[in-house]
C-alpha cells in the first residue's frame, strides 16, 4: 500500500440551519444472550465503481434513530472491490466464525415498496449494498422464515431486475437476486433503489439476528454489480441535499434508545464542538490515516502510522495481534474466549486511557469507554473493547474503529464532491440529554 496522502485538519463548529427538517423514528432496544456468530463478509464478484453522487446545496437533515442490539459483533457484509489492495482486505476483515459475549449491534427501520413494507436493517459503513430477505426464499432457509420478507407482488412500484448476487460468509453463503423498488427512510419517500432479495441464507448469524437485512453506507466502489448505493440514489434523485450522514451511538444499556443516524448533515446536540475533520485516504471503506496510538504513558502502538477504518458494523476496536496483546497486557486483560479478554471490574478506575492520534488531534478513551460492563442475574462481567484481527500486507496492518470508539465520538461521514475529497468529522459524543 502506498503511503497515504497528508490529512486535512479542519477544526470547526458545524452549525446546521435553523430551518433544517429533523425527522425521528423511535425504535426499541433488544438485549440477547451469549450467542453471536461473526461471519466473513464478502461479495463474490468485484464491481465496477459507479460514479459518486454529486451534492447539491441545501439544509435538509433526516434522522433515523437506531436500536441497540446486544449480540452480533461485526458487520455482516463486506464486498471485495475493484480498488487496489482492497480485495485482500475485504476477505480478512471478518474471518469468523467468532463468538462474542453480549456485544452491540445498532439497527433501524426502513420501508421498501408501495405501500412500504417495514424492515429492520444494520446501517453499515463497511459495505454499500441494500438487501433484505425475500418471500421467494428457499423453504429450508430458516432465517427467511424468522424475519420480515419482501413480497414483490404486494408492491405496486416493484420492477424486476433478476441479476443474481452472492455473499460469502465464514459460516455459509447469502444468495439472491437484485430487484428495484421504492425506499422509505426517515422522512424520505419515493427513492427508487436497486436492492438484493435474499433467497438463501444458510448462515446461523441471520437466524439469531434481530435485524432483517443490511443497508450499506460505504462508497460506490464497494457495491456489487455496479449498483448505485442507496445514499447516492437519494442524492441523485434530489431527495437528499448532501451526501453527508452522521452516527450518534448510545452505548448506555439503561437508555431507551440506541442513538440516531442523521442523513444530510449532523446534529450539534449530539457532540461537543468543534469537529475535527480527517480526509479519507481510499474512497471505498471509510478509511483514514492514524498517526499513533498511546496506552497511558508507557506504550506506543501504530508508531509509524497506520490505516484505520471507521466501521459502524463492527462492535469492538480491532488491531494487529501483537499490538493488541501489548495493549491487553497494559490494561490487565486476561484471555477469555475466541480473542476476547476479561477485565477485572474493580480495576476500571485505575486503568490507563487509550488515545488515538487522528489528524493531529488526540481522541482519548477512558476505561469507562473501552471496557464493556455487563450485569446479569446479580453477576457483573467486564470485557475489553479491543480484539486482535490481522490483515496481511499490502492492505494491512490495519485497525478498525468500531462502535466502542464511535459510541464515544460522533462521526460525520462527508462524501465530498468533485472539488473536495471525502472526509470524516469526529467530535466527543454528549451524554444523552446533555446540552439539549
Amino acid at each position: 500500500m502506498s503511503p497515504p496522502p497528508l490529512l486535512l485538519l479542519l477544526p470547526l463548529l458545524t452549525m446546521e440551519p435553523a430551518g433544517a427538517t429533523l425527522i425521528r423514528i423511535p425504535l426499541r432496544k433488544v438485549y440477547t444472550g451469549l450467542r453471536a456468530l461473526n461471519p466473513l463478509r464478502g461479495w463474490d464478484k468485484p464491481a465496477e465503481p459507479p460514479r459518486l453522487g454529486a451534492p447539491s446545496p441545501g439544509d435538509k437533515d433526516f434522522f433515523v434513530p437506531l436500536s441497540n442490539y446486544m449480540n452480533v459483533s461485526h458487520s455482516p457484509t463486506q464486498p471485495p472491490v475493484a480498488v487496489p489492495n482492497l480485495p485482500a482486505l475485504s476477505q480478512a476483515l471478518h474471518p469468523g466464525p467468532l463468538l462474542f459475549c453480549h456485544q452491540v449491534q445498532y439497527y433501524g427501520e426502513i420501508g421498501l415498496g408501495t405501500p412500504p413494507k417495514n424492515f429492520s436493517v444494520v446501517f453499515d459503513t463497511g459495505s454499500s449494498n441494500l438487501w433484505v430477505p425475500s418471500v421467494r426464499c428457499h423453504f429450508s432457509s430458516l432465517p427467511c422464515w424468522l424475519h420480515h420478507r419482501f413480497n414483490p407482488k404486494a408492491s405496486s412500484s416493484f420492477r424486476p431486475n433478476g441479476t443474481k448476487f452472492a455473499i460469502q460468509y465464514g459460516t455459509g453463503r447469502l444468495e439472491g437476486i437484485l430487484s428495484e423498488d421504492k425506499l422509505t427512510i426517515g422522512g424520505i419517500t419515493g427513492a427508487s433503489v436497486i436492492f438484493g432479495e435474499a433467497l438463501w441464507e444458510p448462515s446461523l448469524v441471520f437466524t439469531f439476528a434481530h435485524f432483517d437485512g443490511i443497508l450499506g453506507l460505504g462508497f460506490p466502489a464497494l457495491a456489487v454489480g455496479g449498483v448505485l448505493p442507496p445514499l447516492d440514489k437519494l442524492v441523485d434523485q434530489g431527495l437528499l441535499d448532501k451526501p453527508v450522514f452522521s452516527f450518534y451511538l448510545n452505548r448506555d444499556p439503561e437508555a431507551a434508545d440506541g442513538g440516531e443516524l442523521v442523513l444530510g448533515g449532523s446534529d450539534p446536540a449530539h457532540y461537543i464542538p468543534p469537529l475535527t475533520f480527517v480526509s479519507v485516504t481510499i474512497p471505498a471503506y471509510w478509511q483514514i490515516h492514524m498517526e499513533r496510538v498511546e496506552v497511558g504513558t508507557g506504550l506506543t502502538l501504530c508508531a509509524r502510522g497506520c490505516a484505520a477504518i471507521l466501521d459502524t458494523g463492527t462492535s469492538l476496536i480491532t488491531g494487529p495481534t501483537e499490538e493488541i496483546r501489548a495493549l491487553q497486557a497494559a490494561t490487565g486483560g486476561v484471555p477469555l474466549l475466541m480473542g476476547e479478554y476479561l477485565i477485572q471490574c474493580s480495576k476500571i478506575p485505575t486503568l490507563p486511557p487509550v488515545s488515538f492520534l487522528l489528524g493531529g488531534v488526540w481522541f482519548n478513551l477512558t476505561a469507562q469507554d473501552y471496557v464493556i460492563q455487563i450485569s446479569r442475574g446479580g453477576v457483573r462481567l467486564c470485557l475489553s473493547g479491543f480484539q486482535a484481527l490481522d490483515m496481511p500486507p499490502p492492505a494491512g496492518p490495519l485497525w478498525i474503529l468500531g462502535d466502542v470508539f464511535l459510541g464515544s465520538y460522533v462521526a460525520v461521514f462527508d462524501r465530498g464532491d468533485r472539488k473536495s475529497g471525502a472526509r470524516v468529522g469526529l467530535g466527543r459524543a454528549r451524554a444523552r440529554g446533555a446540552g439539549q
Side-chain angles (χ1 to χ4, degrees):
M1 178 181 293
S2 60
L6 293 177
L7 302 181
L8 298 176
L9 174 61
L10 302 173
L12 51 87
L13 175 60
T14 300
M15 299 302 294
E16 298 299 325
T21 302
L22 306 179
I23 299 175
R24 304 171 187 265
I25 303 173
L27 297 174
R28 62 191 178 92
K29 181 186 298 182
V30 179
Y31 299 88
T32 65
L34 179 64
R35 61 163 197 266
L37 291 173
N38 172 46
L40 172 69
R41 306 192 293 183
W43 296 90
D44 65 341
K45 295 180 180 179
E48 288 296 327
R51 66 185 180 87
L52 293 176
S56 58
D59 62 358
K60 289 186 292 184
D61 292 352
F62 295 86
F63 284 69
V64 181
L66 304 176
S67 287
N68 184 341
Y69 171 40
M70 301 189 68
N71 188 338
V72 180
S73 67
H74 286 71
S75 169
T77 59
Q78 189 64 60
V81 298
V83 176
N85 300 332
L86 287 179
L89 170 60
S90 66
Q91 294 299 319
L93 273 177
H94 300 288
L98 300 176
L99 182 65
F100 290 93
C101 306
H102 293 276
Q103 297 308 317
V104 182
Q105 189 69 64
Y106 295 87
Y107 63 96
E109 191 172 90
I110 64 168
L112 282 172
T114 306
K117 167 76 172 181
N118 290 337
F119 295 91
S120 295
V121 297
V122 173
F123 295 104
D124 180 20
T125 59
S127 64
S128 299
N129 288 85
L130 167 62
W131 66 264
V132 295
S134 173
V135 72
R136 298 181 280 180
C137 64
H138 194 272
F139 72 94
S140 64
S141 183
L142 183 59
C144 281
W145 304 103
L146 297 178
H147 293 86
H148 297 102
R149 294 175 292 156
F150 178 79
N151 184 0
K153 294 182 178 179
S155 172
S156 62
S157 53
F158 172 78
R159 296 179 62 183
N161 180 295
T163 303
K164 295 181 180 180
F165 74 88
I167 312 171
Q168 180 65 54
Y169 292 91
T171 51
R173 289 176 62 86
L174 172 78
E175 300 178 3
I177 58 173
L178 298 179
S179 297
E180 184 174 352
D181 214 328
K182 302 295 184 181
L183 170 68
T184 299
I185 179 170
I188 304 176
T189 60
S192 179
V193 299
I194 295 177
F195 66 99
E197 288 188 62
L199 304 180
W200 172 239
E201 299 178 58
S203 177
L204 286 176
V205 67
F206 298 123
T207 302
F208 299 123
H210 280 253
F211 56 85
D212 301 310
I214 310 295
L215 191 151
L217 290 167
F219 289 80
L222 289 181
V224 66
V227 172
L228 202 61
L231 181 71
D232 296 75
K233 295 289 286 187
L234 294 176
V235 174
D236 282 2
Q237 296 173 31
L239 299 170
L240 190 65
D241 293 321
K242 298 177 291 184
V244 179
F245 60 93
S246 57
F247 277 89
Y248 166 69
L249 304 181
N250 191 351
R251 293 181 63 219
D252 181 359
E254 303 301 323
D257 68 285
E260 287 179 325
L261 162 64
V262 184
L263 298 177
S266 62
D267 183 356
H270 286 160
Y271 57 84
I272 300 171
L275 291 173
T276 296
F277 281 93
V278 183
S279 63
V280 171
T281 56
I282 299 178
Y285 306 98
W286 289 91
Q287 181 172 326
I288 61 176
H289 178 66
M290 185 160 65
E291 294 139 83
R292 199 157 70 250
V293 179
E294 298 280 355
V295 184
T297 58
L299 177 62
T300 298
L301 308 174
C302 178
R304 297 181 179 179
C306 55
I309 287 175
L310 295 157
D311 187 359
T312 57
T314 297
S315 285
L316 307 181
I317 297 172
T318 76
T321 296
E322 291 305 314
E323 296 198 298
I324 293 298
R325 284 177 179 170
L327 184 151
Q328 299 291 2
T331 57
V334 177
L336 185 59
L337 288 172
M338 303 299 289
E340 287 208 342
Y341 284 78
L342 191 66
I343 299 290
Q344 191 171 335
C345 297
S346 61
K347 292 187 176 180
I348 290 178
T350 65
L351 295 182
V354 179
S355 304
F356 304 82
L357 185 59
L358 303 169
V361 175
W362 286 104
F363 294 86
N364 305 313
L365 296 182
T366 67
Q368 291 289 339
D369 296 323
Y370 66 76
V371 175
I372 301 166
Q373 302 183 53
I374 303 165
S375 296
R376 287 292 174 88
V379 177
R380 186 181 177 208
L381 184 66
C382 295
L383 300 172
S384 171
F386 296 92
Q387 189 188 32
L389 186 62
D390 289 312
M391 266 68 72
L398 178 120
W399 290 66
I400 301 176
L401 304 182
D403 297 337
V404 167
F405 181 85
L406 295 173
S408 298
Y409 291 94
V410 167
V412 181
F413 298 85
D414 183 353
R415 287 273 297 276
D417 54 28
R418 293 180 178 87
K419 295 182 180 180
S420 61
R423 59 182 187 169
V424 177
L426 296 169
R428 184 74 191 192
R430 295 186 190 271
R432 195 62 173 166
Q436 301 184 44

